């Protein structure tokens, strides 16, 4: 999983504010509304560890490092042979438990029909208990079958959303032990994508002290991004968060901006220049 050092990027302005989605050419004309600019680091908007639910052997990996996948695509196939046998054994155990329950119920019904002189209280009580035990065993067997079927169903792992795959940690035919806690790989969502920015407290303080709500402050801003090539990115962004804490040594806090990324131009780890524009209305 890609990790980003939250103190790599210094945003010398205030960027506490989700920016509205206006076109880049529109904000570029509003020079009077320019707030400031600084650097940011691109990071995934969302990631998902592809992990085994139970220990098993990998039969086949259906992805390679860097591959783009769609939601629902098959990513990993585990060995299903032993899990299929476990389902069959559970079905057999359930059938046996149901037969024992039917036998116990039949025995109880037969004793209940006999006269009190022919069946003692103790015999009737034992028949009731036997039927209760048989019913509990049947319910237990049904639960075990459901568990076996559930385990069988997770022997194929599918992509939960569109994204790009990291390198797999395991090879095909490798045994995965869930106790070790290692993911097989990580799926990274690239659209939308986030940019981590650091900014000072002063501007947020000024706005909040003036009586503006944080939501209003955040909603007045738009982010414009410049790529390392010097090219302006074609989509504007917004800030999702204000900083919830600040570094006592630098006085900086981290905020997260979000940008559309349909062409996957922005990639995690990319260092970009970010400019902020504040709407006057």
């Amino acid at each position: 999983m890609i990790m980003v050092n939250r103190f790599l990027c210094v945003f010398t302005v205030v960027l506490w504010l989700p920016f509205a989605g206006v076109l880049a050419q529109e904000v570029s004309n509003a020079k009077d509304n320019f707030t400031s600019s600084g650097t940011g680091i691109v990071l995934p908007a969302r990631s998902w560890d592809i992990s085994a639910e139970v220990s098993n052997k990998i039969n086949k990996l259906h992805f390679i490092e860097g591959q783009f996948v769609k939601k629902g695509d098959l990513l990993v196939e585990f060995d299903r042979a032993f899990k299929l046998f476990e389902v069959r054994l559970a079905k057999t155990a359930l059938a046996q438990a149901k037969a024992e329950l039917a036998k116990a119920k039949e025995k109880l019904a037969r004793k209940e029909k006999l006269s009190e002189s022919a069946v003692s209280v103790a015999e009737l009580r034992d028949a009731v208990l036997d039927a209760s035990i048989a019913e509990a065993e049947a319910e237990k067997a049904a639960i075990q079958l459901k568990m076996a079927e559930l385990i069988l169903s997770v022997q194929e792992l599918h992509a939960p959303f569109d994204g790009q795959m990291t390198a797999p940690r395991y090879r095909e035919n490798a045994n995965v032990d869930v106790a070790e806690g290692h993911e097989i790989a990580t799926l990274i969502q690239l659209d939308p994508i986030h940019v981590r920015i650091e900014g000072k407290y002063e501007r947020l303080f000024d706005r909040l002290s003036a009586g503006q709500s944080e939501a209003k402050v955040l909603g007045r801003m738009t982010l414009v991004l410049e790529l390392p090539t010097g090219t302006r990115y074609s989509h504007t962004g917004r800030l999702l968060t204000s900083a919830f804490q600040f570094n006592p040594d630098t006085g900086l806090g981290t905020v997260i901006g979000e940008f559309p990324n349909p062409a996957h131009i922005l990639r995690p780890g990319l260092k970009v220049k970010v400019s902020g524009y504040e709407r006057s209305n």
Side-chain angles (χ1 to χ4, degrees):
M1 183 181 300
I2 299 174
M3 305 294 296
V4 180
N5 188 326
R6 61 176 296 174
F7 295 109
L8 285 178
C9 48
V10 178
F11 197 69
T12 58
V13 205
V14 180
L15 280 171
W16 315 123
L17 333 153
F19 298 133
V22 295
L23 295 175
Q25 56 265 35
E26 292 177 351
V27 295
S28 65
N29 293 331
K31 298 184 185 302
D32 292 343
N33 292 338
F34 173 76
T35 303
S36 58
S37 63
T39 57
I41 302 296
V42 178
L43 66 156
R46 185 183 181 193
S47 60
W48 187 280
D49 287 340
I50 307 301
S51 304
E53 296 287 342
V54 293
S55 299
N56 204 350
K57 182 176 71 174
I58 296 175
N59 268 357
K60 187 170 180 59
L61 296 173
H62 290 267
F63 69 92
I64 58 174
E65 178 181 357
Q67 181 176 338
F68 288 96
V69 298
K70 293 290 186 181
K71 180 179 179 180
D73 283 355
L74 178 60
L75 302 177
V76 183
E77 282 184 87
F78 293 99
D79 181 22
R80 293 167 56 88
F82 287 102
K83 308 306 178 186
L84 285 168
F85 282 126
E86 289 173 1
V87 170
R88 290 178 61 184
L89 286 172
K91 287 181 177 179
T92 301
L94 178 58
Q96 182 177 354
K98 286 181 176 180
E100 293 292 339
L101 175 59
K103 181 179 177 181
K105 285 183 175 180
E106 182 182 352
K107 179 180 179 181
L108 174 61
R110 187 169 60 250
K111 288 186 179 295
E112 288 176 335
K113 289 181 180 180
L114 295 175
S115 64
E116 293 183 2
S117 59
V119 179
S120 68
V121 174
E123 288 178 315
L124 184 59
R125 183 188 60 198
D126 289 344
V128 170
L129 290 175
D130 289 344
S132 296
I133 293 172
E135 186 172 5
E137 289 295 331
E139 183 177 357
K140 177 182 175 181
I143 293 173
Q144 290 175 332
L145 174 58
K146 288 181 180 179
M147 289 178 60
E149 290 174 337
L150 178 60
I151 291 173
L152 179 63
S153 71
V154 295
Q155 299 314 303
E156 291 184 349
L157 302 181
H158 298 262
F161 51 79
D162 295 356
Q164 188 176 24
M165 297 299 302
T166 64
R169 294 175 60 97
Y170 296 88
R171 297 179 180 178
E172 292 179 352
N173 206 43
N175 289 308
V176 178
D177 186 353
V178 296
E180 296 177 355
H182 296 312
E183 71 277 5
I184 297 170
T186 301
L187 175 62
I188 303 298
Q189 178 178 304
L190 296 180
D191 184 28
I193 202 162
H194 289 173
V195 178
R196 175 170 286 168
I197 310 155
E198 288 188 343
K200 295 182 178 179
Y201 175 70
E202 286 80 355
R203 196 167 189 83
L204 176 64
F205 173 79
D206 291 342
R207 296 294 190 271
L208 295 179
S209 298
Q212 298 182 30
S213 68
E214 186 164 341
K216 184 176 181 180
V217 172
L218 297 176
R220 291 167 63 93
M221 298 297 295
T222 298
L223 283 177
V224 175
L225 185 149
E226 184 179 301
L227 300 171
T229 59
T231 305
R232 173 167 288 181
Y233 185 58
S234 58
H235 298 278
T236 57
R238 64 191 183 104
L239 280 177
L240 296 179
T241 64
S242 60
F244 70 94
Q245 66 180 13
F246 293 82
N247 185 298
D249 297 323
T250 64
L252 299 175
T254 299
V255 296
I256 303 296
E258 182 178 81
F259 286 82
N261 193 31
H264 301 156
I265 292 174
L266 301 178
R267 301 296 176 92
L270 196 66
K271 190 174 182 179
V272 294
K273 181 180 179 181
V274 186
S275 298
Y277 292 82
E278 183 175 0
R279 294 202 310 270
S280 57
N281 54 356

